[in-house]
């Protein structure tokens, strides 16, 4: 996880995560985000992200991330 986030900041140093919505329940968390930044070639990137996490004993047990390019 740490490596993936580090790589995102290397490829888009100005990356910005804007929270859209957070949903919480027993044993899970769902976070929706709008992610923007500039790619190395100067192109602006914008995509929707959704992270689904399973919690066990107050710690993240699993995490699935979904991404879709925003139009």
């Amino acid at each position: 996880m740490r490596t993936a986030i580090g790589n995102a900041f290397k490829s888009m140093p100005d990356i910005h995560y804007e929270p859209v919505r957070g949903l919480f329940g027993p044993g899970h968390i769902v976070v929706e985000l709008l992610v923007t930044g500039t790619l190395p070639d100067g192109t602006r990137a914008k995509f929707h992200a959704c992270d689904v996490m399973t919690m066990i004993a107050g710690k993240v047990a699993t995490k699935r991330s979904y991404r879709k390019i925003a139009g």
Side-chain angles (χ1 to χ4, degrees), residues 16-24 30-36 46-51 68 70:
H16 176 75
Y17 296 89
E18 180 181 332
V20 174
R21 179 182 359 214
L23 303 167
F24 308 88
V30 178
V31 179
E32 293 180 57
L33 306 158
L34 178 62
V35 183
T36 56
K46 181 178 177 181
F47 57 93
H48 299 281
C50 182
D51 294 330
K68 180 179 179 183

Side-chain angles (χ1 to χ4, degrees), residues 45-70:
K46 181 178 177 181
F47 57 93
H48 299 281
C50 182
D51 294 330
V52 180
M53 293 165 273
T54 303
M55 308 295 290
I56 297 176
K59 296 184 179 185
V60 176
T62 65
K63 180 179 179 288
R64 294 176 309 280
S65 298
Y66 303 93
R67 308 286 183 254
K68 180 179 179 183
I69 295 174

